[in-house]
Amino acid sequence: MPSRLNYVMGLRNAKLDAITAYLGPAGRLKLFSNATSQPSGPSIAVPAGPVLLAEWVLGPPFAPVAVNAVLTPTIPTDVVGLVDGAPGWWRAYKNDGTAAVMDGSAGLSGCDMN
C-alpha cells in the first residue's frame, strides 16, 4: 500500500528548518548540468559527465525559517555562473563544500529547484 502520511504545516516547516540547522552557517549549493542523471542520493559521488554550472555559499543562515512548507535558500545577489548549460540537478553541502547532505532535480519548472 502506498504511503498516506500527512503532516500539519508546523511540522512540515520544522522538518525543513532542520535542514538549515543541519547544514550549518554558510552551507553550499552546487548546480549541475543535465549531462547525466542525478545520482540516487547525496552519499553517491557526483558521476563523470555533469558540468558544474554554478556554486553558491549560502547564508548565513542557509535559509530563513520555512513558510508554508517552502524552504528558500539565502542566495547571494552577486552570483555569477561558472559556465552556460541546462540545469539538471543540484546538491547541498555542509560549509566545507564536500560533505553532501541532499540533492534534487533542477530546471525551469516542475522541479525541486526552479
Side-chain angles (χ1 to χ4, degrees):
M1 175 183 294
S3 176
R4 298 198 40 122
L5 290 173
N6 295 299
Y7 302 100
V8 297
M9 188 61 67
L11 182 55
R12 292 169 68 189
N13 288 335
K15 289 172 66 173
L16 291 170
D17 292 338
I19 293 169
T20 296
Y22 189 80
L23 283 169
R28 295 178 185 256
L29 184 66
K30 296 181 181 182
L31 178 63
F32 295 93
S33 71
N34 62 0
T36 60
S37 297
Q38 174 187 344
S40 59
S43 61
I44 306 299
V46 175
V51 175
L52 180 60
L53 301 176
E55 180 175 359
W56 299 273
V57 175
L58 306 173
F62 172 74
V65 294
V67 176
N68 295 323
V70 174
L71 186 65
T72 305
T74 307
I75 297 177
T77 57
D78 60 350
V79 171
V80 176
L82 302 172
V83 297
D84 288 335
W89 59 282
W90 57 267
R91 184 168 276 179
Y93 297 80
K94 286 188 164 267
N95 63 356
D96 64 4
T98 60
V101 174
M102 62 186 291
D103 54 33
S105 63
L108 299 178
S109 66
C111 296
D112 298 315
M113 181 173 77
N114 297 313

